[in-house]
């Protein structure tokens, strides 16, 4: 089942210590499942990593809220429900892919709010997250919105970030993970 958590008002401070390799814990890869074409590369890498590390995968889908005025509140609620359904469907596809790759059942989280705030909050709430895996678009239009946004935060990010090229084949990822 997918867990939907309310958006916090501000991201909490990241814990000083990750617990992913402590007794009773296991390391997890966090993967963002978005609408980019390259999300599959990140899921593939994280699933292969989970096999080798004896860990798990957490899949996160972030729904960014729409601006809404009072007279459009009913429409906004319908749009929110549709976004929730689309998020569930995207996570279903990604979880099926991870299960096919590594015979694992990833954790699934849907959050609503600012992408960076939600990403940091999920990491803060789960001390077993050992790394974030993203995939970069290989095209001329740039690496993608989240990779571009994250570049400015890398120096202070609470976990290592692995960025996989969206151009890598399954065989290439196999040899790297």
């Amino acid at each position: 089942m997918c867990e939907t958590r309310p958006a916090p008002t501000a991201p909490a401070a990241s814990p000083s210590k990750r617990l992913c390799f402590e007794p009773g814990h296991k390391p997890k890869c966090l993967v963002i499942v978005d609408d980019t074409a390259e999300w599959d590369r990140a899921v593939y890498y994280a699933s292969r990593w989970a096999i080798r590390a004896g860990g798990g995968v957490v899949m996160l889908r972030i729904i960014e809220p729409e601006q809404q005025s009072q007279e459009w509140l009913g429409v906004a609620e319908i749009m929110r429900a549709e976004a929730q359904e689309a998020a569930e469907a995207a996570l279903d596809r990604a979880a099926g892919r991870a299960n096919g790759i590594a015979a694992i059942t990833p954790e699934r989280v849907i959050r609503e709010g600012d992408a960076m705030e939600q990403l940091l909050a999920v990491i803060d709430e789960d001390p077993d997250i050992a790394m974030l895996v993203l995939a970069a678009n290989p095209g001329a239009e740039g690496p993608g919105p989240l990779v571009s946004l994250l570049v400015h935060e890398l120096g202070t990010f609470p976990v290592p970030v692995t960025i996989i090229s969206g151009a890598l084949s399954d065989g290439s990822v196999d040899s790297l993970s």
Side-chain angles (χ1 to χ4, degrees):
M1 252 329 130
C2 189
E3 169 187 357
T4 302
R5 300 178 192 166
T9 54
S14 293
S16 59
K17 183 177 180 185
R18 304 269 80 199
L19 302 176
C20 49
F21 292 104
E22 298 291 324
H25 294 268
K26 72 175 183 177
K28 299 175 190 173
C29 255
L30 176 61
V31 178
I32 308 301
V33 177
D34 57 16
D35 293 326
T36 63
E38 60 273 3
W39 68 263
D40 178 73
R41 299 294 74 208
V43 168
Y44 192 91
Y45 179 89
S47 300
R48 295 283 301 163
W49 176 89
I51 293 170
R52 294 193 188 229
V57 175
V58 178
M59 295 183 173
L60 172 62
R61 176 71 176 212
I62 300 171
I63 301 170
E64 295 200 42
E66 301 291 326
Q67 296 286 347
Q68 40 188 295
S69 61
Q70 199 63 22
E71 66 265 9
W72 295 103
L73 214 46
V75 173
E77 286 303 314
I78 292 169
M79 291 174 63
R80 187 174 186 200
E82 289 172 350
Q84 182 75 23
E85 284 180 30
E88 292 279 355
L91 289 174
D92 285 346
R93 284 189 305 277
R97 180 76 165 127
N99 189 275
I101 296 162
I104 60 172
T105 302
E107 296 177 37
R108 300 160 32 129
V109 179
I110 297 174
R111 297 293 288 261
E112 186 175 336
D114 175 75
M116 188 57 71
E117 285 181 12
Q118 297 311 310
L119 178 58
L120 290 169
V122 168
I123 292 169
D124 182 54
E125 293 164 10
D126 190 342
D128 290 341
I129 293 175
M131 85 168 98
L132 170 64
V133 176
L134 299 171
N137 179 351
E141 59 273 8
L146 194 53
V147 173
S148 297
L149 178 65
L150 199 59
V151 165
H152 301 289
E153 304 293 329
L154 285 178
T156 60
F157 211 70
V159 296
V161 178
T162 300
I163 301 175
I164 302 300
S165 169
L168 292 176
S169 67
D170 287 356
S172 294
V173 174
D174 287 345
S175 67
L176 296 169
S177 55

